[in-house]
Amino acid sequence: MAASEMFYKLLIVVFLAVSLYSTPSDGQKKKETLLSEKVSQMMEWASKRAVIRLNGEKFRRLIRAPPRNYSVIIMFTALQPQRQCGVCKQADEEYQILANSWRYSSAFTNRIFFAMVDFDEGSDVFQMLNMNSAPTFINFPAKGKPKRADTYELQVRGFAAEQLARWVADRTDVHIRVIRPPNYAGPLMLGLLLAFIGSLAYLRRNNLEFLFNKNVWAFSALCFVLIMTSGQMWNHIRGPPYAHKNPNTGQVLSVINLFLNCGSDAAVTLGMVLLHEAATSDLDIGKRKIMCVAGIGLVVLFFSWLLSIFRAKYHGYPYR
C-alpha cells in the first residue's frame, strides 16, 4: 500500500512539473502577443502599399524594439523638392519596382518587408544611425543587428531593381523576380527609326549609292566604338547614380565623366582624321596647313587632358 501511494505521489509531482514547464509564463505570452501585433500591423500596411513609410516612432517600435521575426529592407532617402536629390528619385523608382514585384509575387510572406524613411519625416532616425548621405539601403535582419554587408554598396552596384534583388537574396535568402511595368518608349523609338530609314530608302530608291559609301559606314563604326570604349554600356547596364561621393576619399564622382571621356576620345580621333586628310587630300596647301595645325592641336590638347584624368584617378600611372 505504501509503495502504491508513493507511486501515485510521484506521478502527481511529475504531472505538476510538466504542466508548469509547458505552460508559458506571462512574459512569454506578452512577447508573443506583441510580436503578433507587430506582424499584423506590418502586413496591413504592406497590403496597402509596397513600401511602408516609417517615421521615428514607427522605426523604434517596429524595427529597433524586440521582438521581431521578420527582416526589413529600408531605404533612407530625401525626396522632398527642397532637398534637390535627383538620384533619390531615381533610386525610389527602382525600389518601388522591387517592392511591388515582391508584394504581388505568389511567394509573398511576412518574412521580409520593404520600408522607407524620408529625412523630413524621420531626421531623428538619421541621427540615431549617424547617417549623413542618401539614398542608403540597409537590411535589418530578423535576428541580431545589421552587419557591414547589410548596407548596400550603391556606388559599386548601382540602384537598378535587379541589382537590389540580388543583394536582398544574398542577405535574406528571399529570391524576388523583378517584374517591370511595360515600357513602350524603346519599341516606339525603334519603330520610328526603322520607319525613317525605310522612308529614306524609298525616297532614294533610284539612287542607293550612299549605302555603299565607305565614309558613312566608317562614321557609324567610329560612333559605335566611341560609345563602347567610353563606358556608356557599363552605365546602361549598372545604372549608377549621376553623382555620388566616394566614402573613402571624399571625391565626388559623376556619370558625366563618361560623356566627357567620350567627347575627348572623339576629339582625339577627329584630330587624327584631320592629320590624315591633310597628308593625303588634294586640297590647296593653305587648307591642308590649317587641317594639320587643327589636328595636332586637338590631339595634343585632349590627349594631354585624358592623361591628366588618369593621373588624378590612378596616382601610380607611369606616363607623363
Side-chain angles (χ1 to χ4, degrees):
M1 180 68 70
S4 62
E5 290 180 358
M6 183 65 68
F7 176 74
Y8 285 122
K9 289 180 179 179
L10 181 61
L11 284 179
I12 292 174
V13 171
V14 171
F15 176 76
L16 290 176
V18 171
S19 300
L20 290 174
Y21 180 78
S22 61
T23 302
S25 62
D26 292 340
Q28 184 68 22
K29 287 183 178 179
K30 185 177 180 181
K31 183 178 179 180
E32 293 177 355
T33 301
L34 179 59
L35 178 60
S36 177
E37 290 176 353
K38 292 171 70 173
V39 172
S40 299
Q41 182 69 82
M42 296 292 287
M43 287 294 290
E44 180 183 353
W45 287 338
S47 64
K48 296 179 181 178
R49 57 171 60 186
V51 178
I52 302 171
R53 299 186 72 95
L54 300 175
N55 54 23
E57 185 273 330
K58 293 178 180 178
F59 177 82
R60 286 186 288 270
R61 178 168 57 89
L62 298 170
I63 310 302
R64 298 281 284 191
R68 179 165 55 85
N69 63 352
Y70 50 86
S71 299
V72 184
I73 307 295
I74 300 182
M75 180 178 74
F76 297 88
T77 185
L79 294 175
Q80 296 301 318
Q82 64 269 22
R83 301 300 174 187
Q84 298 181 354
C85 181
V87 67
C88 292
K89 297 180 181 179
Q90 300 170 32
D92 178 63
E93 293 175 358
E94 294 295 315
Y95 190 58
Q96 294 287 344
I97 290 174
L98 175 63
N100 278 290
S101 299
W102 171 242
R103 178 188 177 190
Y104 295 107
S105 170
S106 58
F108 175 75
T109 63
N110 57 10
R111 288 181 56 191
I112 180 175
F113 296 97
F114 291 87
M116 172 196 301
V117 176
D118 192 283
F119 180 80
D120 291 279
E121 298 175 1
S123 58
D124 53 337
V125 179
F126 279 74
Q127 295 176 1
M128 184 191 310
L129 300 177
N130 296 322
M131 192 176 301
N132 55 11
S133 63
T136 300
F137 299 90
I138 298 180
N139 168 49
F140 291 85
K143 296 181 180 180
K145 296 181 179 180
K147 299 179 175 61
R148 182 182 182 88
D150 286 312
T151 299
Y152 182 71
E153 296 178 333
L154 182 66
Q155 291 82 4
V156 177
R157 298 188 178 187
F159 49 71
E162 291 77 8
Q163 294 292 337
L164 288 169
R166 294 189 187 98
W167 171 69
V168 170
D170 179 61
R171 302 312 304 163
T172 65
D173 201 29
V174 174
H175 297 270
I176 303 174
R177 180 171 173 265
V178 176
I179 301 176
R180 292 183 174 274
N183 184 2
Y184 301 105
L188 180 61
M189 293 301 296
L190 179 60
L192 291 175
L193 178 62
L194 293 176
F196 174 76
I197 295 175
S199 300
L200 185 62
Y202 178 77
L203 295 174
R204 299 287 299 272
R205 61 186 181 276
N206 296 325
N207 184 13
L208 297 178
E209 293 182 359
F210 70 96
L211 293 177
F212 304 97
N213 190 323
K214 63 179 182 180
N215 291 330
V216 173
W217 290 104
F219 179 76
S220 301
L222 180 60
C223 292
F224 179 79
V225 171
L226 289 174
I227 292 174
M228 292 298 136
T229 57
S230 64
Q232 297 300 324
M233 186 54 64
W234 180 90
N235 182 27
H236 177 73
I237 295 174
R238 303 298 290 272
Y242 282 108
H244 63 271
K245 180 181 291 186
N246 190 322
N248 299 323
T249 63
Q251 182 182 10
V252 178
L253 305 176
S254 175
V255 173
I256 299 176
N257 292 338
L258 298 179
F259 297 97
L260 294 177
N261 292 340
C262 181
S264 301
D265 293 340
V268 173
T269 305
L270 177 61
M272 298 299 295
V273 171
L274 289 175
L275 289 174
H276 178 269
E277 290 296 321
T280 59
S281 66
D282 297 330
L283 297 175
D284 60 84
I285 190 66
K287 292 182 179 179
R288 292 170 64 183
K289 286 183 178 180
I290 294 175
M291 294 172 63
C292 182
V293 172
I296 293 175
L298 287 173
V299 172
V300 172
L301 176 63
F302 285 95
F303 191 73
S304 300
W305 187 63
L306 285 173
L307 286 181
S308 68
I309 294 177
F310 276 106
R311 282 199 299 269
K313 291 184 176 180
Y314 308 100
H315 299 287
Y317 201 72
Y319 301 109
R320 298 295 180 187

